[in-house]
Amino acid sequence: MDTEKTEKLKNLKRMGFLDSQLGDEDRIRKLRKELGIVPNFKMVDTCAAEFDAETPYYYSSYETEDEALVSDRKKVIILGSGPIRIGQGIEFDCCTVHAVFALREIGIETIIINNNPETVSTDFDISDKLYFEPLTLEDVLNVVEKESKNLEGVMVQFGGQTAINLANSLKDSGVQILGTSPGDIDRAEDRDQFGKILDKLGIPSAEWGTARSFSEAKEVAARIGYPVLLRPSYVLGGRAMEIVQDEIDLEEYIKEAVKVSPKHPILIDKFIQDAVEVDVDAVCDQKDVLIGAIMEHIEEAGIHSGDSACVIPPQTLDEKMINRIVEYTKKLALELNTKGLINIQFAIKGGTVYVLEANPRASRTVPFVSKVVGVPLAKLAAKVMVGMKLSELTDDLFPIKKINHVAVKEVVFPFIKLPNVDPVLGPEMKSTGEVMGIDRDFAMAYYKAEIAAGNRIPLHGSLFLSVRRRDKKPDFLNIAKKFSDMGFEIISTSGTSVYLTKNGISNRKILKISEGSPNILDLMRDKKIDLIINTPSVGRKPKRDGYMIRCGAVELDIPYITTIAGAQATANAIEQVRNREIEVKSWNEYFGK
């Protein structure tokens, strides 16, 4: 290659172009290295040049001087989660930091690669070294090559989907992946392979299929029956995930939501309606399985786990169901050769426990579970990933049995900053934070969680009730009766009003928005509504009235609930709070410390 072309390539790299943007990534990388065009690492000047900076905080540059000093110590590289976005955020950063602390305890040098300045993992005093680099294959390989001396390997489990998606490419480039192998990660992520594992283990799952075109999707959906849950493969946060009711919705989804191709098929699952969803976070060392907790979602299946309030320990599952969940978790963790963390999602309906999916990495609930049961799951996982055994680290593989309290995780939504966005919950994640409420019973823990999330729950006043047809069941009537018995004035639109009156529950009928004035929106604007319970129709096209009511609730700061399970929990919480004082205790007191 002549000097002119070499200089051109060097200049392109100085301008920040990735190898993959300049041509075939492997070929360009090989060419660069042959020509000696490799990055040098500069130290971030955290002292504004007033005196010498000594912080181990580096960024790459195609300049001449390299300032990164490589030690002789045994070391591990941990990939962070990259830029914070909905579905992938601070919970993974928490796991990354705990992994650093764990490895430091056993004398291993820790190196973090992450490029978000708003995270704790990128504080310069957390890890032994920080490379403030994008999480691309090229940038990670550059650091791996720089730190290759006594490098044990790279951890991808703590960085969410961003890090996991690099596992295969790193392995193919000769990098040692610590923890669950990329091959076993694939067996969990790939729906065809995972389906075969479930069949082999005799574990029930909802009917499913994969499609690479609209015609294939149509055939699969017709075979398993509507409604179906659609999602792209290899995504986090339920991105572009949706429940569709018929072929028209299916075609619209494929046209608008995702690019379907042989390389990126969509997954199609039978949607299990009215099921209870359960999450389990566990640590496995390929021999023993530590089950951190079994989390019962308060909302029914179909709402993304990141958006659903959940409770530890489960409140409606009997011992038989819990034992089956434990059995399936152990079977799957061992079959997938899990070394480190695994998250498994279940749906329970009609006495059957279905497995929805397994994620062989940290989940966003790991910090919550760790705090509730008093066991640092991410720290245990990091030690397991470098070869330690659970039997060396703990003698309690089911810590949930020892707790005498109830904890509720509630989520925080950004709807107030996003005008006209429907706050209804679904399979695509929308939350941007979470909080925890803890108490000796579920109702009070739920109330504390709602307060922490900024959801003001009124203890009296007027309640607007409007639910879809399929929610008009005894459970809903019991909720309405409880509110009525507590002295709430119930206001409803025609359909719900007729149903309540027919079943002996006093209520005041109000016009729908489309029927004229005064209507429910007028009452909301006049501050005559204290709480809204409005369950939406499932599908891509929610009813206009419901959409306007929910958006109005956000704008006017009126508490609103969009699920029957949430309404039940709220009614119980109000009843409990009215009967006793809120107790405040430290976390240590719950564990007798």
Side-chain angles (χ1 to χ4, degrees), residues 13-25:
K13 295 305 294 180
R14 281 176 174 163
M15 287 189 281
F17 286 95
L18 291 170
D19 292 346
S20 58
Q21 294 170 314
L22 301 177
D24 178 78
E25 184 168 8

Side-chain angles (χ1 to χ4, degrees), residues 146-204:
K146 176 68 180 176
E147 296 286 349
S148 59
K149 191 173 185 180
N150 291 329
L151 178 65
E152 294 288 295
V154 175
M155 291 183 175
V156 299
Q157 283 190 24
F158 303 108
Q161 203 69 36
T162 300
I164 281 286
N165 286 348
L166 289 171
N168 276 318
S169 299
L170 288 171
K171 186 199 79 170
D172 292 344
S173 300
V175 177
Q176 175 67 35
I177 301 298
L178 298 175
T180 308
S181 72
D184 287 312
I185 291 170
D186 257 356
R187 292 170 69 214
E189 294 272 5
D190 183 278
R191 199 63 181 84
D192 285 315
Q193 293 188 65
F194 188 60
K196 289 172 183 172
I197 288 171
L198 294 178
D199 290 343
K200 173 186 172 183
L201 298 176
I203 297 175

